[in-house]
Amino acid sequence: MRRFLKTIALFLVPAVLVVGVFGAALIRSGELAPMEEVRRAAAEGRLSLFGFAYRENIRAFKEAVAGARGAEVLVLGTSRSMQLRSRFFQTDSFYNAGGGIAYLSQAQHFLERMPQHARPKRLLLVLDQYFYNVQWRVYEADDSAKPEQDSTADIAVSLRHMLWDYGNGKFSLRQVLSAPEGTYGLMAAARGAGFCGDGSYSYGSELLHPEQSLDAGFVNTFERIEQATNRFEGGETPDEAAFAETRALLEYCAANKIAVTAFLPPYAPSVWQRMQQTGNYNYIPAAYAVLRELFAEYGFEVFDYSSLPETRDDQYVDGFHGSDRVYAAICVRLSRDSALMGDLFDAEALEALFYAPGNPLFVTFAD
């Protein structure tokens, strides 16, 4: 019997060691950290990068941090707003709440749930074109305006996924175990991917190998256009219900003394060209024509940056997400186009960032 137990122990020791090492890596990476701890670190300026691999709380996280930070300049939008960096702006009071909404209807609720004293003085609103597509509305759940609930870490599930990902070569233990303080989440620790302290998003090591992207050459995006699906549904006439939601949002902002600047974000040049060739996206210029008048009614402004001729395909992470360089170019445009926000930008410095040599997918700030 004693010999049998020793044999079992010999088999179990390696397994226990493996579980122990990977469990320590999970803890060290911050993947198991409670959301309250992550939010507190972000609100207090102690968070350097946040990116969970096995759970997601983006909307709840952005609402909580935006409310705690009370920045005078707030960015609000989907993932297509996340590349707006605080260092593009000449202000010490900035937060990017990109990812805080997935649908237009959620924008007003986001602001309403913020404490009154924390609401921004200036709002930079990024309006995805498909918000105004009638077909997009069918994807929105009836309860989409409800606050997102915190997710909790499941240690067993996380450990199982981590072992699988490690076996597939998706990360190194050395990198995870040496993650700097202020890092929360395996994606952040292993790939440098996640939300920065200012709320903007870093794609991390993904930008070093764009040829490995699922949308390399925009193959996936072109397929969406061909099939008219997944945010690339076509349409002639914009959604009247979306205009009603926009008016309600602007009325709310006007009543709460929030100056609103908005823009329609860019597509990669070849993607925009393909969209135009199909003739299926006439709802976009039609929507912008209405939005321009609607924003002007309230003394606000909106710009159509769907196409930015000064940018190149290799400056886009995928067919409809621009890199840091693209958003630096957007800020150059805002410095010239915006009466409400133009004073926040140094156009010359931003142009230098945009045209600087190096990887076309990110910019390098001088220390």
Side-chain angles (χ1 to χ4, degrees):
M1 184 65 178
R2 185 176 297 174
R3 183 177 179 181
F4 173 74
L5 291 175
K6 286 183 178 180
T7 302
I8 294 296
L10 287 174
F11 278 105
L12 288 178
V13 166
V16 170
L17 286 174
V18 168
V19 171
V21 168
F22 281 89
L26 272 177
I27 295 170
R28 180 68 183 85
S29 72
E31 181 71 23
L32 303 180
M35 279 306 302
E36 179 58 35
E37 178 184 338
V38 181
R39 289 198 299 264
R40 187 166 56 249
E44 295 173 358
R46 294 183 288 104
L47 182 145
S48 58
L49 196 63
F50 161 52
F52 285 152
Y54 307 126
R55 53 186 167 131
E56 188 171 287
N57 287 82
I58 295 175
R59 279 180 53 217
F61 171 74
K62 288 300 181 79
E63 282 191 13
V65 178
R69 295 277 285 268
E72 293 184 2
V73 178
L74 182 73
V75 173
L76 185 58
T78 67
S79 59
R80 296 176 76 192
S81 66
M82 293 177 182
Q83 299 308 110
L84 288 161
R85 309 290 186 194
S86 62
R87 295 182 72 173
F88 291 166
F89 297 75
Q90 294 184 311
T91 176
D92 294 327
S93 187
F94 170 94
Y95 187 69
N96 187 329
I101 66 170
Y103 299 94
L104 178 60
S105 63
Q106 295 170 340
Q108 183 173 339
H109 295 288
F110 186 103
L111 295 171
E112 288 175 338
R113 285 195 280 264
M114 294 179 69
Q116 186 172 358
H117 70 273
R119 290 169 190 153
K121 293 181 179 179
R122 292 195 264 193
L123 175 67
L124 183 53
L125 183 64
V126 182
L127 297 171
D128 289 14
Q129 291 83 348
Y130 55 81
F131 282 172
Y132 298 93
N133 189 318
V134 177
Q135 297 185 63
W136 178 245
R137 186 164 298 279
V138 302
Y139 294 107
E140 184 173 2
D142 292 337
D143 62 350
S144 68
K146 289 184 178 179
E148 186 180 56
Q149 299 299 310
D150 277 348
S151 65
T152 56
D154 186 314
I155 298 175
V157 170
S158 297
L159 187 59
R160 184 168 68 248
H161 283 302
M162 187 182 192
L163 288 166
W164 177 264
D165 288 342
Y166 179 78
N168 287 325
K170 292 187 177 181
F171 66 90
S172 76
L173 278 176
R174 178 181 296 179
Q175 190 170 4
V176 172
L177 291 170
S178 62
E181 290 297 321
T183 301
Y184 290 88
L186 188 63
M187 287 286 287
R191 296 173 55 187
F195 292 100
C196 306
D198 65 356
S200 64
Y201 188 80
S202 169
Y203 286 92
S205 59
E206 180 180 341
L207 299 186
L208 300 177
H209 300 285
E211 73 282 355
Q212 298 176 9
S213 165
L214 295 176
D215 199 27
F218 307 144
V219 172
N220 179 267
T221 299
F222 289 146
E223 188 174 289
R224 295 188 192 195
I225 294 171
E226 182 179 348
Q227 297 177 358
T229 188
N230 201 359
R231 294 176 173 80
F232 284 87
E233 293 81 2
E236 282 288 324
T237 306
D239 185 9
E240 290 295 331
F243 292 137
E245 290 173 350
T246 304
R247 180 177 291 279
L249 172 62
L250 298 183
E251 286 182 353
Y252 174 83
C253 289
N256 286 273
K257 296 181 172 55
I258 302 172
V260 184
T261 297
F263 66 84
L264 279 61
Y267 296 94
S270 63
V271 170
W272 180 249
Q273 182 180 25
R274 184 74 61 90
M275 292 169 68
Q276 300 312 295
Q277 289 171 347
T278 68
N280 293 333
Y281 299 94
N282 292 327
Y283 80 90
I284 295 176
Y288 178 63
V290 175
L291 289 172
R292 190 171 52 198
E293 294 186 5
L294 183 56
F295 273 69
E297 283 184 39
Y298 294 89
F300 300 148
E301 55 190 11
V302 60
F303 306 103
D304 186 3
Y305 294 156
S306 300
S307 172
L308 293 184
E310 65 268 37
T311 64
R312 308 187 311 259
D313 279 351
D314 64 353
Q315 294 171 332
Y316 287 77
V317 179
D318 58 36
F320 55 108
H321 286 89
S323 69
D324 291 1
R325 288 186 187 255
V326 171
Y327 281 79
I330 288 173
C331 290
V332 171
R333 288 209 172 206
L334 287 172
S335 72
R336 297 165 180 165
D337 296 342
S338 173
L340 299 177
M341 202 166 272
D343 63 302
L344 293 176
F345 305 103
D346 181 338
E348 185 176 342
L350 289 165
E351 282 187 330
L353 286 175
F354 176 67
Y355 289 111
N359 189 315
L361 291 172
F362 58 80
V363 298
T364 302
F365 294 100
D367 292 332

